[in-house]
Amino acid sequence: MINVKIAYKQNFLPERQYIIDVIFRHFLGIEYTVVEASDTRNSWLLEFANGSVVEFDDHFFCKHNEESGYIHLENIPSKAAFVKYEGFIDGSFCILYGDDKYKQSSNGSSKLIRFGNDIFAASFFMLSRWEEILREQRTDQYDRFDEAQLIAEKLGFSKIPIVNDYLNLLRQVFEQMGGVKLPLKEYKASISHDVDEFARFGTLGKTTKVLAADVLKRRSFSLFKKNFNHSVSTIKGKETDPFDTFSYLMDESEKFGLKSTFYFIPGLIGEEDVAYNINDSEVINRMERILSRGHQIGVHGAFQSYQDIEQYQLELSRLTAIIGPITHVRQHYLRLKLPTTWRIHNSLGLSNDSSMGFSKDWGFRCGVCYEYPLFDVIERCLLPIVERPITLMEAALVKTNPEPEQFLTTVNDIAAIVKKHDGVFELLWHNSSFNVPEWEPFKNYYSQILNAIS
C-alpha cells in the first residue's frame, strides 16, 4: 500500500485537511499520514518511506489568521505564470500563489526537492470556488457570478485544467522520489440533457410565438408554412414535436455504450420561467421511458430554486412523487449562489451536482476534469455532494464556434485535453437543440461529437 507522511502548519486545518484528502486520497488514490510540523515551517512537506522529502512553499494559509479569514478580494490571485521544472518533462504548471523557485539536493540515498509554487492553495482556490462568494456588483443578468470576472477568465487559463496538471506533477514526484508509479484514473464521457422545454408546439401561445418569429425575425414564409403544417400534424398526433428527441438521444448514447442523464424542471406553467407541467401525462410517459431504458433522471432546479429551499422542496417533491428518489441535480441557467445553493442541495438529499460550467464558452471552471467532493468555505466543512463540472455546453460553444465543422474540431481538441488527464468529459446538450433552424445543421454532427468524446 502506498503511504506518505504529510506535514503542514497547524492553522486553517479544515481547509488544509480537505485539500490534502481530495488531492491524495480522492484524486491520486493514496493513503497518507499527517504528522505534526513545527509552527515555524511555512511549507507543505511530503516524506517518503525511503527518506526523500518534497516541500511546496506555503504562500497562502500561513499568511492569514483564522479570525479575519481569507475570503477577501485582495487575496484573489492577481497574476498567473507557468513554469517548467527540470527533470519533470510532462507539462508546465500554473503559479497562482508563490513563485518559480525550484531546488534539488541529495543526502546519500535520500533526495530533497523544494518548489516555490503553492499548488495546494491554488487547488483549494479552484475547487472550493471561494472567489464566487465575493459577489459585490459582479453578477450577470441571471444573478450568477459574471464569468468575465472569474480569475481563470481574466488571467487566461480557463481552458487549462490546472489542478490536473498539479496532479500530473505529483505523480512524477512520487515516481522520482518514492519509486512509485501511481495508477491513472479511467477516462469516461458523461452525457446530459437539460429539458428546459418539453415541446415546441405544446400550447397555442408557443406555436404562435414560433410562427411569428418565422415571419418577423427569420423573414421566411417557407419556414412559416413548414412549421404551421408541422404544428398541425403534431396536434393531430401524426408527427412528433421537434423537441421530442428523447428516444433519439438515448439511441445515440447507447451506440457508444453510454447512458444519458435528463434533468427535468419540476414546475407548473405559470411559475417563473417554466415551460411545461411536470405532471403532464406526456412528460411522465417520457420519464418512464427514460428510466425503463436504464438512463437517469435528475432535477433541474427552476429559476428561483437556487436560493429558496421551500420552493426547491416543493419542486423536488413533485418529481419524487412521480419517479421516486432523486440524487442528481443541475441548476436551471447554471444559476448558483454559493454556498447557499449547495446547502439546499445537501438539505434535500441531492448528492450529485453538475452545475459548475461556462454559459458563454467552454472551459474548466473548477480547474479540473475530475468529479470531486465540495467544501463549504463559510461553515468550513466538507459537504456530502460530489461535483461533476460541465466540460462543454452546446449553447455556449456555438457562440464561439458557429459552424458545425468548426464546432466538431473544437470538441475534438477539448476531448484530447480531457483524455490526456484520464478525466471526465461532461457534455450538456439540450433536447431542444436539434429540429429548429439554428440547430438543424448540427443534427448530422451529433453522432460524430459523441464518437469524439467517447
Side-chain angles (χ1 to χ4, degrees):
M1 180 176 66
I2 303 167
N3 200 310
V4 63
K5 293 180 180 178
I6 302 177
Y8 42 75
K9 190 178 178 71
Q10 296 295 290
N11 72 335
F12 291 102
L13 291 181
E15 289 81 1
R16 291 180 186 273
Q17 290 165 357
Y18 165 77
I19 198 59
I20 288 294
D21 203 61
V22 169
I23 286 177
F24 288 96
R25 183 171 289 123
H26 190 84
F27 287 157
L28 296 176
I30 298 168
E31 293 301 319
Y32 62 88
T33 302
V34 175
V35 297
E36 191 170 342
S38 167
D39 280 344
T40 61
R41 179 181 295 280
N42 291 330
S43 65
W44 306 79
L45 184 146
L46 314 181
E47 183 178 351
F48 296 90
N50 62 10
S52 294
V53 172
V54 178
E55 287 190 77
F56 291 87
D57 289 348
D58 185 341
H59 283 276
F60 185 73
F61 288 120
C62 72
K63 295 181 179 180
H64 303 290
N65 66 73
E66 300 195 42
E67 185 175 343
S68 59
Y70 53 86
I71 305 175
H72 305 288
L73 286 173
E74 62 268 24
N75 295 331
I76 291 179
S78 58
K79 59 183 179 179
F82 283 82
V83 61
K84 290 181 178 289
Y85 299 114
E86 182 183 352
F88 295 87
I89 60 173
D90 191 5
S92 58
F93 307 96
C94 185
I95 303 172
L96 294 183
Y97 297 103
D99 52 49
D100 62 357
K101 292 176 184 175
Y102 170 65
K103 183 179 180 181
Q104 288 193 61
S105 60
S106 61
N107 182 12
S109 60
S110 61
K111 295 179 285 187
L112 170 66
I113 296 181
R114 184 160 191 167
F115 297 93
N117 188 357
D118 190 347
I119 67 172
F120 299 102
S123 296
F124 182 80
F125 175 78
M126 294 304 299
L127 299 181
S128 68
R129 309 308 308 137
W130 66 259
E131 71 170 310
E132 300 196 34
I133 292 173
L134 298 168
R135 298 167 58 86
E136 303 167 6
Q137 298 180 346
R138 288 144 64 90
T139 54
D140 69 1
Q141 71 270 31
Y142 294 112
D143 194 36
R144 301 174 299 198
F145 194 99
D146 186 357
E147 292 172 14
Q149 297 298 322
L150 290 170
I151 204 65
E153 280 286 301
K154 295 176 80 170
L155 300 184
F157 62 89
S158 63
K159 292 178 171 58
I160 303 171
I162 64 170
V163 176
N164 289 93
D165 285 336
Y166 299 148
L167 298 174
N168 182 37
L169 175 62
L170 287 170
R171 287 190 177 97
Q172 294 184 69
V173 163
F174 269 77
E175 188 167 359
Q176 292 189 25
M177 302 293 281
V180 176
K181 191 164 186 175
L182 301 179
L184 294 172
K185 287 183 175 288
E186 183 178 350
Y187 169 83
K188 61 182 177 181
S190 175
I191 314 300
S192 56
H193 315 286
D194 291 357
V195 187
D196 296 344
E197 296 187 74
F198 183 78
R200 195 178 193 211
F201 303 128
T203 64
L204 178 61
K206 282 186 176 184
T207 304
T208 301
K209 186 177 179 181
V210 170
L211 298 178
D214 289 339
V215 175
L216 301 175
K217 182 180 178 181
R218 290 180 277 272
R219 299 185 183 279
S220 173
F221 182 75
S222 62
L223 196 57
F224 171 89
K225 184 178 179 181
K226 176 184 175 182
N227 282 325
F228 177 79
N229 291 334
H230 195 167
S231 66
V232 172
S233 295
T234 299
I235 292 170
K236 291 181 177 180
K238 295 180 179 180
E239 288 189 81
T240 58
D241 188 273
F243 292 169
D244 187 0
T245 58
F246 301 100
S247 292
Y248 168 76
L249 289 167
M250 289 187 284
D251 289 343
E252 289 299 313
S253 287
E254 289 167 7
K255 283 182 186 178
F256 298 96
L258 303 170
K259 295 295 183 182
S260 287
T261 301
F262 294 83
Y263 293 95
F264 282 82
I265 297 176
L268 302 175
I269 291 177
E271 296 176 348
E272 188 172 6
D273 206 59
V274 172
Y276 58 93
N277 289 327
I278 193 62
N279 54 16
D280 181 272
S281 60
E282 286 297 308
V283 176
I284 293 173
N285 174 272
R286 297 303 184 278
M287 290 194 292
E288 290 175 343
R289 188 185 304 171
I290 288 167
L291 294 175
S292 71
R293 289 179 61 168
H295 297 262
Q296 193 165 37
I297 290 175
V299 58
H300 200 35
F303 198 73
Q304 293 295 346
S305 66
Y306 76 109
Q307 61 179 350
D308 187 337
I309 189 170
E310 292 182 358
Q311 177 65 24
Y312 217 132
Q313 195 165 24
L314 172 62
E315 293 174 11
L316 187 61
S317 67
R318 293 170 180 162
L319 188 55
T320 57
I322 299 169
I323 63 169
I326 295 289
T327 59
H328 286 65
V329 55
R330 176 178 290 138
Q331 291 304 121
H332 191 28
Y333 291 108
L334 310 183
R335 214 167 180 223
L336 294 164
K337 182 177 182 180
L338 302 184
T340 301
T341 310
W342 289 344
R343 291 177 183 173
I344 291 173
H345 293 171
N346 182 37
S347 296
L348 299 179
L350 299 168
S351 56
N352 293 270
D353 179 66
S354 186
S355 303
M356 274 291 165
F358 289 100
S359 63
K360 298 175 182 176
D361 201 350
W362 70 274
F364 302 97
R365 188 170 187 136
C366 305
V368 73
C369 53
Y370 290 162
E371 55 188 24
Y372 69 94
L374 295 174
F375 186 83
D376 184 332
V377 295
I378 302 300
E379 294 295 329
R380 302 179 64 194
C381 66
L382 179 72
L383 290 168
I385 302 172
V386 172
E387 178 67 31
R388 179 177 287 178
I390 299 167
T391 312
L392 162 65
M393 176 171 66
E394 94 285 26
L397 185 63
V398 77
K399 294 175 183 177
T400 54
N401 296 262
E403 298 300 323
E405 284 283 357
Q406 179 187 20
F407 189 103
L408 179 60
T409 298
T410 303
V411 170
N412 274 286
D413 293 341
I414 301 168
I417 296 171
V418 181
K419 288 177 180 180
K420 172 189 173 183
H421 293 288
D422 296 288
V424 178
F425 193 118
E426 178 68 29
L427 173 68
L428 163 52
W429 197 287
H430 293 74
N431 64 297
S432 53
S433 296
F434 289 107
N435 304 311
V436 290
E438 59 268 33
W439 284 106
E440 195 78 46
F442 288 84
K443 187 166 186 178
N444 293 331
Y445 285 79
Y446 184 69
S447 190
Q448 295 180 62
I449 290 166
L450 292 194
N451 182 57
I453 70 174
S454 64

